[in-house]
Amino acid sequence: MSDKKQNSPLPHILAILLTLTSTVFLFLVVLYNVPLSSSDRSNLSGRMWLLTVKPATSSTFSSSKGGDSYGFGIWGWCSWSDGGDGDCTNDSFWKITSSTEDVGSLGLPQSIAQSMSTAAFLLTFNLVTGIFLLCDLLYTIHFHSHAQPRIIAPLKLLPPKKIKMRTWHAQLLRNLWACCLAVVSLLAWSLPVIVIVGVGAGDVDGSWRGKIGLGWIL
C-alpha cells in the first residue's frame, strides 16, 4: 500500500475559487469595454471602462458632440447619451490628438491620449497568467505526496527527468521564488495603466470631468 497521502484540499480549493474569480473579472475588464461587434452598442455606460469622461457642467452637457459621456478601454472608445446606445471607435493601440474626431476636444492629458491604450494592453498578459495559474491549480488538485513540497527550494523552470509533471507543477505553485516572480510580473504589467489612469483622470480639461471607470471596481 502506498504511504502517500492527500493533503487537505481546502486551501487548494480556496485558491482555485479566488483565482477563478479574479480571472473572470480580469476577462471582463480586458474584453467587455469597446464592443467587438459593430452591431452591439447596448449598455455602453455599464461596460468595464478604464476611464470615463463626462461633462463637468450642464452647459458642457448641452454642447457636447457625439454623446454626453465617453468611455476609454483597451480596444478604443465609445460615446453615449443617456437613454441612447451611442457610437464606438475600435482602434487597438489608439492615440488621440487635438484633431481626432469627437474626442480631440476633451482635453485629455498626454499620458492618457498617447500612452493609455498601450499600457492597458499589458493587462492581457495578466489575463493569460491568471488562466495558466488556474489551469495549474486544477491540474494539481489530486496531487499526492509524503508531504507538501518545500516552499524555499531552487527554482527549476523545466521539469527534471525523474519528476512527474504533476509533481513539478505542484512544486512550482509552492515555490517562493516562483511566486515572487509571478507577483513582480503581474505588478509590472498592471502598474503602468494604474498610474496613467489614476493620475490622468484628475488632469482632464476643466470643462470635462474624468474618473476611473467601472473596470477598476472589479
Side-chain angles (χ1 to χ4, degrees), residues 73-96:
I74 299 175
W75 315 112
W77 63 85
C78 293
S79 61
W80 63 89
S81 301
D82 291 340
D85 289 343
D87 298 309
C88 294
T89 299
N90 294 74
D91 186 7
S92 302
F93 302 105
W94 50 265
K95 295 181 184 295
I96 294 174

Side-chain angles (χ1 to χ4, degrees), residues 16-214:
I16 290 175
L17 293 176
L18 291 175
T19 304
L20 175 62
T21 302
S22 62
T23 301
V24 170
F25 284 162
L26 189 55
F27 185 86
L28 291 174
V29 171
V30 170
L31 293 180
Y32 189 61
N33 43 81
V34 177
L36 300 180
S37 171
S38 59
S39 61
D40 181 13
R41 294 292 183 267
S42 61
N43 192 33
L44 292 179
S45 61
R47 291 177 180 262
M48 304 295 108
W49 301 110
L50 299 177
L51 173 73
T52 57
V53 177
K54 297 182 178 182
T57 63
S58 58
S59 59
T60 307
F61 181 90
S62 61
S63 62
S64 60
K65 297 179 180 179
D68 303 320
S69 302
Y70 296 84
F72 296 87
I74 299 175
W75 315 112
W77 63 85
C78 293
S79 61
W80 63 89
S81 301
D82 291 340
D85 289 343
D87 298 309
C88 294
T89 299
N90 294 74
D91 186 7
S92 302
F93 302 105
W94 50 265
K95 295 181 184 295
I96 294 174
T97 64
S98 58
S99 60
T100 303
E101 184 179 357
D102 195 21
V103 295
S105 61
L106 295 181
L108 298 176
Q110 283 293 105
S111 58
I112 289 178
Q114 299 296 314
S115 304
M116 184 184 126
S117 178
T118 302
F121 179 78
L122 297 178
L123 293 177
T124 59
F125 293 106
N126 280 0
L127 177 59
V128 172
T129 301
I131 292 173
F132 274 115
L133 178 57
L134 180 61
C135 291
D136 258 2
L137 289 168
L138 292 173
Y139 181 59
T140 56
I141 194 170
H142 290 302
F143 172 69
H144 295 263
S145 67
H146 301 285
Q148 288 278 17
R150 289 186 298 164
I151 295 178
I152 301 178
L155 179 59
K156 299 177 181 179
L157 298 180
L158 295 176
K161 294 182 179 180
K162 295 183 179 181
I163 294 181
K164 294 182 179 180
M165 185 64 69
R166 192 188 303 272
T167 301
W168 176 67
H169 279 270
Q171 290 176 347
L172 279 182
L173 289 174
R174 288 272 296 178
N175 190 286
L176 176 64
W177 308 119
C179 293
C180 289
L181 181 61
V183 170
V184 170
S185 299
L186 292 173
L187 288 176
W189 293 327
S190 302
L191 282 178
V193 69
I194 291 174
V195 172
I196 288 174
V197 176
V199 175
D203 294 334
V204 177
D205 183 86
S207 59
W208 295 88
R209 185 178 73 253
K211 61 184 297 186
I212 59 175
L214 186 59

